[in-house]
């Protein structure tokens, strides 16, 4: 995968869109050593100071647009593969559905996926040298565990993503669900998911992994399983 590299940019997703407007054809990646106007899900800001990873993979939309949402868990698998060799024996690496990556239950990576008629833009941020402090969840950076350079991580991520993306194109996400579920945060444990954007309404259950559509499945007390296509997840509140 071709990688366009910058020292500073507003947003790698934005630059990928600009490149396509200028005639660049997917697949390719955009990487910047610093991002000044990054964003996460629901318009939340995502900090990318120098030394951290901000990269966007731009790929063509699938012929069957109903499968497009499963590119989120596919991306999580690629990030997991790149980070796993960096873990110490005592560290626990996990995928927080659908595509955040946790180390010891602290967020190290997030993904923002956007799309238009020309491409899907998969923006990935990884805390390498520093981590955001003023956020309502635990964070961690790779420098707390080991020495690693962002430039090398980006090259490895582009290769890992390309591998999974090719398999996804050929076999669909169903071929990756078992591997994804083995790496899933709180699999077979109690979990809750928000049912509204304001996080006022939650549903609890036992996490039963994702289905072939990438939807999160929760099992209730009666053994009934309900699949959720969207929502923020968390451990249940202590009673």
């Amino acid at each position: 995968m071709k990688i366009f590299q910058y020292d500073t940019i507003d947003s790698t997703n934005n630059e990928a869109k600009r490149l396509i407007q200028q005639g660049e054809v997917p697949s390719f990646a955009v990487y910047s050593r610093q991002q000044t106007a990054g964003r996460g899900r629901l318009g939340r800001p995502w900090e990318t100071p120098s030394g951290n990873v901000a990269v966007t993979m731009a790929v063509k939309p699938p012929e069957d647009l109903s499968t497009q949402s499963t590119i989120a868990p596919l991306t999580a698998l690629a990030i997991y593969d790149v980070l796993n060799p960096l873990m110490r024996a005592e560290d626990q690496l996990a995928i927080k559905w659908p595509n955040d990556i946790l180390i010891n239950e602290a967020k190290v990576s997030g993904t923002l996926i956007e799309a238009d008629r020309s491409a899907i833009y998969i923006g990935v941020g990884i805390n390498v040298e520093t981590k955001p402090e003023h956020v309502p969840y635990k964070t961690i950076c790779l420098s707390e565990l080991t020495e690693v350079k962002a430039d090398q991580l980006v090259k490895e991520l582009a290769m890992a993503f390309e591998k999974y993306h090719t398999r996804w194109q050929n076999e669909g996400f169903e071929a990756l669900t078992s591997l994804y579920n083995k790496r899933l945060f709180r699999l077979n444990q109690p979990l809750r998911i928000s049912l509204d954007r304001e996080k006022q309404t939650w549903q609890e259950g036992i996490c039963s992994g994702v289905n072939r559509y990438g939807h999160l499945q929760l099992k209730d007390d009666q053994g009934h399983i309900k699949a959720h296509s969207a929502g923020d997840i968390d451990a249940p509140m202590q009673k």
Side-chain angles (χ1 to χ4, degrees):
M1 179 179 284
K2 182 179 180 181
I3 300 175
F4 293 88
Q5 187 167 309
Y6 305 82
D7 286 327
T8 303
I9 208 169
D10 58 345
S11 157
T12 55
N13 271 27
N14 288 349
E15 180 63 11
K17 294 173 186 177
R18 289 191 288 262
L19 287 169
I20 285 182
Q21 290 171 357
Q22 295 164 15
E24 192 65 35
V25 177
S27 299
F28 63 85
V30 174
Y31 162 51
S32 181
R33 293 190 175 94
Q34 186 175 15
Q35 188 175 230
T36 59
R39 57 192 182 277
R41 289 178 59 243
L42 305 177
R44 298 164 183 158
W46 180 270
E47 299 176 16
T48 312
S50 182
N52 286 359
V53 164
V55 61
T56 293
M57 280 78 67
V59 298
K60 291 181 179 179
E63 292 185 9
D64 181 359
L65 292 178
S66 69
T67 67
Q68 188 164 297
S69 63
T70 57
I71 206 163
L74 173 159
T75 303
L77 286 172
I79 304 169
Y80 186 105
D81 277 7
V82 170
L83 299 187
N84 193 41
L86 305 176
M87 298 299 103
R88 305 166 301 189
E90 65 268 27
D91 294 322
Q92 292 192 342
L93 186 66
I95 297 171
K96 182 182 178 185
W97 180 82
N99 50 32
D100 285 351
I101 305 296
L102 306 180
I103 300 175
N104 304 327
E105 299 193 9
K107 184 172 178 176
V108 70
S109 174
T111 300
L112 172 68
I113 298 176
E114 299 175 314
D116 56 30
R117 293 180 180 178
S118 301
I120 306 173
Y121 308 93
I122 305 104
V124 176
I126 303 175
N127 301 330
V128 181
E129 296 292 340
T130 59
K131 62 185 180 182
E133 301 286 354
H134 305 293
V135 290
Y137 49 83
K138 292 194 296 183
T139 59
I140 192 170
C141 56
L142 297 176
S143 63
E144 297 176 49
L145 316 178
T146 186
E147 290 187 15
V148 62
K149 296 299 182 184
D151 289 12
Q152 183 60 33
L153 278 181
V154 168
K155 293 176 184 176
E156 294 174 3
L157 178 58
M159 288 189 292
F161 175 84
E162 202 163 31
K163 178 190 74 172
Y164 280 115
H165 184 249
T166 298
R167 187 173 177 189
W168 176 77
Q169 287 178 306
N170 293 334
E171 304 176 46
F173 182 70
E174 187 171 8
L176 299 171
T177 54
S178 177
L179 181 61
Y180 181 90
N181 285 331
K182 289 176 183 177
R183 300 171 172 187
L184 190 59
F185 174 65
R186 297 192 71 84
L187 179 67
N188 299 322
Q189 297 181 51
L191 192 69
R192 66 174 188 158
I193 186 168
S194 62
L195 302 181
D196 60 333
R197 186 167 178 170
E198 293 73 28
K199 298 184 183 181
Q200 297 299 309
T201 306
W202 296 79
Q203 181 170 329
E204 295 188 9
I206 301 298
C207 177
S208 301
V210 302
N211 60 22
R212 63 192 180 99
Y213 305 107
H215 297 168
L216 185 71
Q217 302 174 115
L218 293 185
K219 183 188 297 184
D220 64 20
D221 294 340
Q222 286 74 45
H224 301 133
I225 293 178
K226 183 174 182 179
H228 299 267
S229 61
D232 285 322
I233 64 167
D234 200 355
M237 300 287 287
Q238 295 295 324
K239 298 179 180 179

